[in-house]
Amino acid sequence: MSGTDSHPPHARGARAARRRPRPSGTERKRLVRAARTLARGALVTVVAVAAVACGSKDTGPIVTVGAGDSPQSRMVAEIYAGALARTGLHTRVQDRVGDRTDQFAAVDSGEIALFGEVTGDLLTALDSTATVTKPDAVNAALAKALPQGVVTSDPADGTDLRPTIVAGASRPATLPSSLKDLAPHCEDLILGIDTGAPLDAQRAPLDPERDVLTPLRTVYHCTVTRTVTFTTEADLRKALSEGEIHLAVLSGPPAFLPGDGADLAPLSDPDYAFRAAMIAPILRKSALTDPQLRKLNYVAGELTTTALADMVHQIRDQSAIPSSVARDWLDAHAL
């Protein structure tokens, strides 16, 4: 279900298998040009500098994790940095590296070793011809689209950041809870679409035809003829609550909205009209050792949409310190 932690049994099983055992109890062209430069020779992504910890004289390399210009990107970077630090690495987060082009360039220059991304979004940016939407196919296509020498570790399949179609919390009984059952109602629907800037700065605004109407027709045989666009999610939610529209399309899960989207009821997207979008690390192939990669995989096995949204709320809305929020989450999951 989009925007929730509900996943098919095989996804839950894959996530559980990665868990660490615990004690009981249209910048596309510019982006592609920047990404291609990553194939020009091996670069050092771990910068050797002196590090002093807890008053000791220990020195070693510092692995820098890059963060983009959004609370979500910063939060993911802090989680990765905190987890890797628990393997004995010296780590730091470099904040506000910039957009995708800037982050790939920072990996290219050795400024950072890795950064967090959203699988479906990155595939769209790197390969505009890709048509796959389901998780395994998206992961495989992304691996092929990445520049030579750049890899992605396990995605967090408990995170589902796809666009989400929602009804009001007290939706009419005639409206289904799944897009799979929506087709008989589509001709009568008024669909509101949020075309404003997404909460995550790296996400592109929704294009109504390309990103919403075409996928609904193609996957669920749902033809909507009446749409209204909104430039803010607040106006969209107001129109939904007042009955001006029947359903609303958000650029991501309602859990990230102010108030956690408690006034909204998501419709599930079991056949992936909207491309799978999960959190995953992007890194140079030689940047981390196998034990360090396994640590990131343990993180992937535990991270969920709800948990990430809660952490983003803490740093975005409550001015919490990102590293402290990450530490608390890692502690809670024995990571």
Side-chain angles (χ1 to χ4, degrees):
M1 180 179 295
S2 179
T4 72
D5 296 332
S6 298
H7 290 272
H10 74 276
R12 294 195 297 270
R15 185 162 70 249
R18 291 199 305 273
R19 288 176 178 160
R20 177 185 177 183
R22 287 187 274 171
S24 57
T26 275
E27 291 289 329
R28 184 176 290 114
K29 290 183 180 179
R30 185 165 68 93
L31 170 63
V32 172
R33 285 198 299 270
R36 284 174 179 167
T37 64
L38 291 165
R40 298 199 303 261
L43 295 170
V44 178
T45 57
V46 180
V47 182
V49 296
V52 178
C54 301
S56 73
K57 296 182 179 180
D58 293 339
T59 62
I62 290 182
V63 170
T64 300
V65 183
D69 298 336
S70 71
Q72 177 179 298
S73 181
R74 177 66 187 273
M75 196 65 253
V76 171
E78 291 287 358
I79 291 171
Y80 288 164
L84 289 171
R86 297 181 181 201
T87 69
L89 276 176
H90 297 287
T91 64
R92 64 183 289 270
V93 170
Q94 182 164 325
D95 198 12
R96 298 190 179 280
V97 174
D99 61 17
R100 287 191 177 95
T101 303
D102 298 323
Q103 290 179 75
F104 272 109
V107 172
D108 184 34
S109 68
E111 186 178 351
I112 64 174
L114 70 155
F115 59 95
E117 254 292 359
V118 178
T119 54
D121 294 356
L122 183 56
L123 177 60
T124 300
L126 291 176
D127 183 3
S128 62
T129 66
T131 58
V132 294
T133 61
K134 294 186 177 181
D136 289 346
V138 168
N139 297 340
L142 178 58
K144 292 180 180 179
L146 288 170
Q148 183 178 358
V150 177
V151 298
T152 177
S153 185
D154 283 6
D157 52 28
T159 56
D160 186 350
L161 306 186
R162 289 177 287 169
T164 310
I165 294 182
V166 297
S170 57
R171 69 165 163 250
T174 54
L175 281 177
S177 59
S178 171
L179 295 180
K180 201 164 189 174
D181 303 317
L182 192 62
H185 308 270
C186 292
E187 290 186 358
D188 301 321
L189 288 176
I190 302 175
L191 185 65
I193 303 174
D194 182 2
T195 58
L199 290 175
D200 182 359
Q202 290 203 147
R203 305 201 87 166
L206 291 173
D207 177 279
E209 182 61 43
R210 181 194 65 209
D211 299 329
V212 179
L213 300 180
T214 295
L216 287 177
R217 281 196 305 268
T218 302
V219 177
Y220 294 115
H221 310 290
C222 171
T223 300
V224 177
T225 59
R226 293 185 292 172
T227 62
V228 184
T229 59
F230 297 84
T231 56
T232 70
E233 56 83 15
D235 289 340
L236 178 73
R237 292 165 78 175
K238 182 173 183 290
L240 185 64
S241 67
E242 294 179 354
E244 296 176 15
I245 56 177
H246 300 113
L247 294 173
V249 187
L250 306 171
S251 61
F256 286 85
L257 297 175
D260 300 324
D263 56 328
L264 304 172
L267 277 67
S268 66
D269 178 14
D271 293 335
Y272 286 85
F274 303 124
R275 176 172 284 169
M278 299 178 286
I279 296 294
I282 304 298
L283 64 155
R284 181 161 291 282
K285 189 173 183 179
S286 59
L288 300 176
T289 65
D290 286 346
Q292 292 157 2
L293 287 172
R294 282 197 296 273
K295 175 64 79 169
L296 293 184
N297 291 344
Y298 294 146
V299 168
E302 299 291 342
L303 190 61
T304 66
T305 304
T306 301
L308 180 58
D310 177 67
M311 288 186 277
V312 168
H313 281 300
Q314 289 183 57
I315 66 172
R316 185 189 70 199
D317 305 330
Q318 302 168 24
S319 301
I321 299 172
S323 58
S324 297
V325 175
R327 182 175 61 250
D328 290 345
W329 182 83
L330 291 166
D331 286 345
H333 292 269
L335 292 168

